[in-house]
Amino acid sequence: MLITNSYVFLRKEEELKKDKDGNYYIVLKTSLSDTFKKIFNATDNNLTLEEIKDNNVHVEKRLQDLFYRIIRGTFKLNINDKAMEIKYKFIVVNSTHYLDIIIETNQKASAIPFLEHINSILLKEDSKDLKDYIVIPSYDYVSEYYCDKIYPKLNSFERKLRKLLYLIYTSQFEKEYFKKTTSEEFQKKVKEKIQTKTNNKRKKEIDQIKNFFYYLDFGTLQEFLFEKRWTDLEVADVNEFLDDNADLSKVTDKELREMISNIRPKSDWERFFENKKLSENMEDTIKQIGKLRNIVAHNKMFNKEQFECLKVLLIDTSKILDEAIAITESKDFIDINTEKFEKSMKDIRNRLSKFIQSVADSMSPVREAFADLRKQYQQLNK
């Protein structure tokens, strides 16, 4: 297979100098192909002028080559006791050079160290040899290689994180899972990305329920999880506390402080994830993963150092997500069911108590009438 790295070399401004008489002149630059051959000890296989004449190349063609020509050649590199013959091709258009570095190999991985080495030379910011050029990597196979290599881990991480979100939110809020802790503005921003093929309002709602977490990009995901905000949950907690404590004078100082602490603005991470044995630095980790993930997703320059960093983050975080999923599916699901059962029983007791009280209240006139009859009966029998 042929593996290719490509570059564009744009010449910077021509350097003007002034002679002793005050006249300006242009400093002629060394040709890029000659500089390249010097850097890599490369040879070229282009025809000499005599060979061109012998091959009956027309004058027009030779003139055209002044503005557009192709230069091909080879050079050898030795890295870690391994040698590789490398082909190169320059296409020259006016003063702009387009370079292809070409490696023929049966294994992609074997070419990467050589391409990385060439990148380190050609893309070096303070290169003296290439100081007259702006060097642009137009096709970086090294980035492609590392992006392809990291993608399966990134794919698995995102799907595990999404699964955890669905487990936690739907178990708490069922069909209302994305509405309970987010603003209408936030919901609208995500819903606009969910394309549906129907005008039926109910079907649209079902599509949104099915797909909401699939349309959270990493930016909105971080906002969703880590932005502190007031929600209806805090209002419900306050109302429940007041219902359970009609006489606040009987509430201890500790209980009151805990209640106030619990109703402060929180992030969803604090509300639902802190009991999952997740890293305290998860917000920073998600941000780091998000930045590197965007490089991979948009096929930007992605080097070995970035690859190794993202790989470690994904491996470590995936293990944490596996544990969090296991905790949610076992302990949390049981706790949620227990809590709902206890709440249901509490509601039943409250309703029963109100019913008994209403019955008692309705029976009060009857009891009073019976009491009057008893008094009258007792008086008659005296």
Side-chain angles (χ1 to χ4, degrees):
M1 76 180 71
L2 294 179
I3 291 172
T4 304
N5 251 22
S6 300
Y7 309 83
V8 178
F9 294 81
L10 298 173
R11 187 182 282 280
K12 295 178 182 176
E13 296 80 12
E14 300 287 357
E15 186 178 347
L16 290 176
K17 285 197 173 182
K18 189 187 290 186
D19 63 19
K20 60 182 180 181
D21 297 324
N23 298 316
Y24 286 95
Y25 63 93
I26 296 175
V27 179
L28 295 175
K29 310 288 186 180
T30 305
S31 74
L32 179 60
S33 58
D34 289 341
T35 301
F36 181 87
K37 285 187 280 187
K38 173 189 163 188
I39 293 172
F40 293 102
N41 193 26
T43 60
D44 68 55
N45 55 11
N46 294 298
L47 299 176
T48 65
L49 186 59
E50 290 301 317
E51 290 170 328
I52 290 172
K53 288 178 180 177
D54 292 343
N55 281 277
N56 297 316
V57 179
H58 296 295
V59 173
E60 292 86 351
K61 179 67 170 64
R62 294 204 299 275
L63 287 172
Q64 183 186 19
D65 286 346
L66 292 173
F67 301 97
Y68 173 89
R69 66 186 186 277
I70 296 176
I71 303 168
R72 292 184 175 88
T74 60
F75 60 94
K76 288 185 179 179
L77 278 181
N78 286 283
I79 297 176
N80 299 327
D81 298 326
K82 291 183 179 179
M84 181 80 75
E85 183 175 84
I86 298 167
K87 297 177 182 178
Y88 72 90
K89 179 182 74 174
F90 273 109
I91 299 179
V92 186
V93 182
N94 289 327
S95 61
T96 302
H97 290 66
Y98 301 89
L99 171 65
D100 284 344
I101 297 291
I102 306 157
I103 297 178
E104 188 170 359
T105 180
N106 293 325
Q107 293 183 330
K108 295 178 182 180
S110 65
I112 298 305
F114 295 92
L115 293 178
E116 288 177 325
H117 179 72
I118 294 169
N119 270 352
S120 70
I121 295 171
L122 298 182
L123 302 179
K124 187 178 180 181
E125 290 290 339
D126 55 351
S127 171
K128 292 180 180 178
D129 292 316
L130 299 170
K131 67 182 187 305
D132 297 325
Y133 291 89
I134 300 168
V135 187
I136 304 169
S138 56
Y139 191 105
D140 184 35
Y141 185 83
V142 174
S143 295
E144 180 181 339
Y145 173 79
Y146 286 122
C147 284
D148 288 346
K149 199 172 174 65
I150 200 65
Y151 184 76
K153 288 183 174 58
L154 192 56
N155 185 8
S156 175
F157 162 77
E158 291 195 28
R159 292 182 187 282
K160 285 180 182 179
L161 179 56
R162 192 181 297 119
K163 177 179 179 179
L164 181 61
L165 293 177
Y166 275 119
L167 289 176
I168 288 175
Y169 282 88
T170 58
S171 63
Q172 293 277 354
F173 308 117
E174 298 177 343
K175 294 190 294 294
E176 300 291 309
Y177 72 88
F178 62 84
K179 298 179 181 179
K180 287 293 185 179
T181 63
T182 57
S183 66
E184 289 185 6
E185 182 181 356
F186 181 89
Q187 293 169 36
K188 182 181 177 183
K189 183 165 58 175
V190 179
K191 287 176 181 178
E192 285 175 350
K193 299 177 183 178
I194 304 173
Q195 301 297 321
T196 57
K197 297 179 180 180
T198 177
N199 292 321
N200 184 285
K201 185 178 179 181
R202 180 56 183 157
K203 287 184 178 179
K204 278 187 177 181
E205 289 175 354
I206 290 173
D207 279 345
Q208 291 162 2
I209 292 169
K210 289 166 64 176
N211 295 299
F212 194 84
F213 284 154
Y214 280 92
Y215 285 83
L216 285 181
D217 58 39
F218 254 74
T220 51
L221 173 67
Q222 290 174 55
E223 181 184 347
F224 181 77
L225 290 178
F226 301 112
E227 183 185 74
K228 295 182 184 294
R229 52 189 176 267
W230 287 92
T231 71
D232 290 342
L233 300 179
E234 282 71 46
V235 175
D237 287 342
V238 171
N239 291 335
E240 185 177 359
F241 181 81
L242 294 175
D243 288 342
D244 293 342
N245 299 277
D247 187 352
L248 292 178
S249 63
K250 295 179 180 179
V251 178
T252 66
D253 181 71
K254 181 182 178 182
E255 290 172 332
L256 201 54
R257 288 180 182 277
E258 285 180 356
M259 181 57 200
I260 293 172
S261 175
N262 286 333
I263 62 171
R264 61 181 170 78
K266 295 180 191 175
S267 68
D268 274 13
W269 194 262
E270 293 175 278
R271 289 186 185 95
F272 309 124
F273 293 81
E274 284 190 337
N275 66 335
K276 305 290 187 300
K277 297 185 179 179
L278 294 162
S279 169
E280 293 180 359
N281 301 319
M282 189 58 77
E283 182 174 1
D284 290 334
T285 300
I286 294 288
K287 284 181 181 177
Q288 281 184 278
I289 290 173
K291 287 178 182 178
L292 293 171
R293 176 237 183 233
N294 286 340
I295 293 173
V296 175
H298 297 289
N299 304 307
K300 296 180 181 179
M301 298 289 289
F302 187 64
N303 59 34
K304 184 178 181 179
E305 182 181 354
Q306 292 169 313
F307 166 79
E308 293 293 346
C309 176
L310 182 53
K311 183 175 77 170
V312 171
L313 288 171
L314 291 175
I315 290 173
D316 291 347
T317 310
S318 288
K319 289 177 182 176
I320 293 170
L321 290 177
D322 285 336
E323 189 171 359
I325 288 170
I327 291 171
T328 304
E329 289 180 331
S330 56
K331 181 180 180 300
D332 286 2
F333 281 7
I334 294 171
D335 290 346
I336 288 169
N337 283 335
T338 302
E339 182 182 344
K340 286 190 174 180
F341 174 75
E342 290 176 349
K343 187 176 180 180
S344 295
M345 293 304 295
K346 180 180 175 182
D347 288 343
I348 291 171
R349 286 195 298 270
N350 288 340
R351 288 194 193 118
L352 188 58
S353 176
K354 289 178 180 178
F355 174 74
I356 293 171
Q357 184 62 47
S358 66
V359 170
D361 291 344
S362 64
M363 291 294 292
S364 180
V366 177
R367 284 198 301 270
E368 290 176 2
F370 273 110
D372 289 343
L373 286 173
R374 185 178 298 158
K375 286 179 182 178
Q376 294 175 12
Y377 177 77
Q378 288 173 348
Q379 290 174 354
L380 289 172
N381 288 326
K382 282 183 180 180

